[in-house]
Amino acid sequence: MSITREQFEEIFPQLVQDLTNHCCQYGLPEKALVWYRNSLNHNTQGGKYNRGISVVDSTTLLLGRTLTSDEYFKSATLGWMIELLQAFFLVSDDIMDSSKTRRGSPCWYLMPNVGMIAINDAFMLESAIYILLKKYFRQEKYYVDLMELFHEVTFQTELGQTCDLLTAPEDKVDLDNFSLDKYTFIVIYKTAFYSFYLPVALALYFSNLATEKNLKQAQDILIPMGEYFQVQDDYLDNFADPETLGKIGTDIQDNKCSWLINQALKRVNPEQRKILEENYGQKDGKKEAEVKKVFKDLDLEKVYQGYEEERVDEIRRKIAEIDESEGLKKTVFEAFLSKIYKRQK
């Protein structure tokens, strides 16, 4: 039984208070303190919390029982650390991409009086992880492991972002720069590690089940699952009903090195290639429609459906082969897969 968003959110005010108290020991002026609290609340709350909630759910499944109030608070705190990491990435990402909105509000850097102060705010969101980690986990034997895990996954995500920015700059369209190999690298490092592997790795450490074998088994399943999730995201960006999806897809206009454009480039005839060259990555609805027509003519919807079934069968096979002798549970991965298989938004 998964915890609700509301239950997860109940933990956050305590963490904001912890971070505020930490700042107070340095005598941070009131105006700066209020600014930091506002940044924490605006940038960390309001998402789906899938990553954060997954830490609590995975811990419950691994331990096979209801968590004590202390276990619940601490596993949720680890979950909020992923949400802080996500906030750090998104504030930075929105500046790099010149994005306008995030979660239905203006991006943080576009909020009144914020501007490029947002860069420093992003640093502070990341630093908050390590303040909370020290406060609640310093006495644990896996404290250094958690610290190293957060540092490594942060670096992996930044590697993925580097490759993404260099492969698909918004202001220079070059389809020759795209490839499925680059796409795979980007999605594994930019998305899969922090969104799929990190929540389960944290739950394994917290449950004292983070053996080398369990972490390896978890990674072998969760990285392909994260890749599938991103392919699915790219598919929905183009083919889903915007009302169901809750947003209007922008991958084509944003010159994204997406799964669809890479599949299209493998299949186009010279005439279709020319249409893509002339219309992809342009901030123009008519040109976007031309690209969408090529995607439709190539029947990429059917290509995706074939990919989805093949990839999910492969993931299910890996789950079935899990060795549970060191406390890892198949149910952890089944829960993840059930949330994303055939999703519409």
Side-chain angles (χ1 to χ4, degrees):
M1 179 71 180
S2 181
I3 64 164
T4 64
R5 288 179 81 251
E6 291 70 26
Q7 287 171 316
F8 186 63
E9 279 184 322
E10 285 169 8
I11 302 293
F12 194 60
Q14 176 60 55
L15 305 182
V16 173
Q17 190 57 52
D18 293 334
L19 293 164
T20 303
N21 293 346
H22 192 81
C23 293
C24 286
Q25 70 176 322
Y26 301 122
L28 185 69
E30 182 64 22
K31 186 180 177 184
L33 207 55
V34 170
W35 182 281
Y36 185 37
R37 271 203 300 265
N38 287 342
S39 167
L40 285 165
N41 286 315
H42 180 96
N43 293 309
T44 313
Q45 296 191 102
K48 299 190 194 83
Y49 306 136
N50 288 338
R51 297 165 183 83
I53 287 172
S54 294
V55 181
V56 184
D57 290 348
S58 298
T59 302
T60 305
L61 290 167
L62 287 167
L63 294 177
R65 58 172 172 78
T66 306
L67 303 182
T68 65
S69 58
D70 183 61
E71 287 169 338
Y72 173 74
F73 177 80
K74 284 187 175 163
S75 61
T77 296
L78 287 170
W80 275 110
M81 289 177 204
I82 306 183
E83 297 299 327
L84 283 161
L85 185 65
Q86 159 94 332
F88 158 57
F89 291 146
L90 296 184
V91 170
S92 310
D93 211 31
D94 287 342
I95 297 169
M96 288 182 248
D97 293 347
S98 305
S99 299
K100 298 291 178 274
T101 59
R102 170 71 64 187
R103 298 169 179 163
S105 299
C107 295
W108 180 242
Y109 79 100
L110 293 175
M111 292 293 282
N113 306 315
V114 178
M116 289 304 111
I117 299 172
I119 296 171
N120 191 62
D121 292 332
F123 298 158
M124 291 183 74
L125 290 164
E126 184 193 21
S127 296
I129 296 165
Y130 301 100
I131 293 164
L132 294 171
L133 201 56
K134 184 176 178 182
K135 179 175 173 65
Y136 289 108
F137 297 94
R138 191 166 186 239
Q139 73 287 356
E140 304 294 345
K141 63 179 184 295
Y142 51 77
Y143 172 57
V144 172
D145 294 312
L146 292 185
M147 204 185 308
E148 288 184 349
L149 178 64
F150 269 107
H151 280 134
E152 196 58 36
V153 170
T154 301
F155 187 62
Q156 287 167 322
T157 310
E158 289 159 355
L159 289 178
Q161 174 73 339
T162 300
C163 192
D164 193 14
L165 292 167
L166 294 174
T167 303
E170 272 200 63
D171 56 351
K172 185 176 184 294
V173 183
D174 179 3
L175 299 184
D176 288 334
N177 212 8
F178 292 174
S179 72
L180 271 169
D181 283 347
K182 280 184 188 171
Y183 174 78
T184 301
F185 181 90
I186 291 165
V187 301
I188 286 175
Y189 286 92
K190 188 176 170 179
T191 301
F193 272 103
Y194 95 95
S195 299
F196 285 82
Y197 175 67
L198 182 57
V200 175
L202 290 173
L204 282 166
Y205 278 111
F206 184 67
S207 307
N208 287 308
L209 295 170
T211 63
E212 197 175 324
K213 183 178 175 184
N214 283 349
L215 289 168
K216 174 80 167 62
Q217 287 190 106
Q219 187 170 317
D220 287 349
I221 292 167
L222 292 163
I223 298 307
M225 204 186 292
E227 189 185 343
Y228 158 53
F229 173 83
Q230 188 58 54
V231 170
Q232 188 180 49
D233 219 48
D234 292 357
Y235 165 78
L236 292 171
D237 185 271
N238 187 77
F239 288 104
D241 171 15
E243 281 197 19
T244 308
L245 192 59
K247 63 179 180 181
I248 295 166
T250 60
D251 284 0
I252 292 171
Q253 291 197 22
D254 290 346
N255 189 34
K256 289 289 183 192
C257 177
S258 77
W259 187 80
L260 291 173
I261 187 67
N262 278 294
Q263 291 298 332
L265 291 169
K266 274 171 59 179
R267 293 169 167 80
V268 285
N269 60 36
E271 188 186 332
Q272 290 169 321
R273 169 83 191 204
K274 190 166 184 291
I275 293 169
L276 293 180
E277 294 276 7
E278 289 170 356
N279 296 284
Y280 197 77
Q282 312 285 327
K283 306 286 189 192
D284 180 322
K286 285 182 181 169
K287 292 190 171 186
E288 180 184 42
E290 290 293 318
V291 175
K292 287 193 170 210
K293 186 176 183 305
V294 173
F295 287 178
K296 193 169 189 302
D297 292 345
L298 293 170
D299 208 0
L300 292 188
E301 194 158 8
K302 192 174 178 190
V303 174
Y304 168 76
Q305 286 160 358
Y307 163 85
E308 179 172 52
E309 292 313 315
E310 192 179 316
R311 177 47 62 101
V312 170
D313 282 351
E314 184 188 312
I315 291 168
R316 284 184 175 140
R317 204 162 49 246
K318 285 184 174 178
I319 293 171
E321 290 167 0
I322 285 176
D323 177 359
E324 295 184 327
S325 63
E326 293 181 13
L328 194 61
K329 303 275 177 67
K330 293 174 186 174
T331 49
V332 170
F333 305 96
E334 287 161 356
F336 262 86
L337 189 57
S338 68
K339 283 180 191 171
I340 60 173
Y341 180 54
K342 297 282 188 194
R343 73 187 170 102
Q344 297 299 312
K345 58 182 182 178

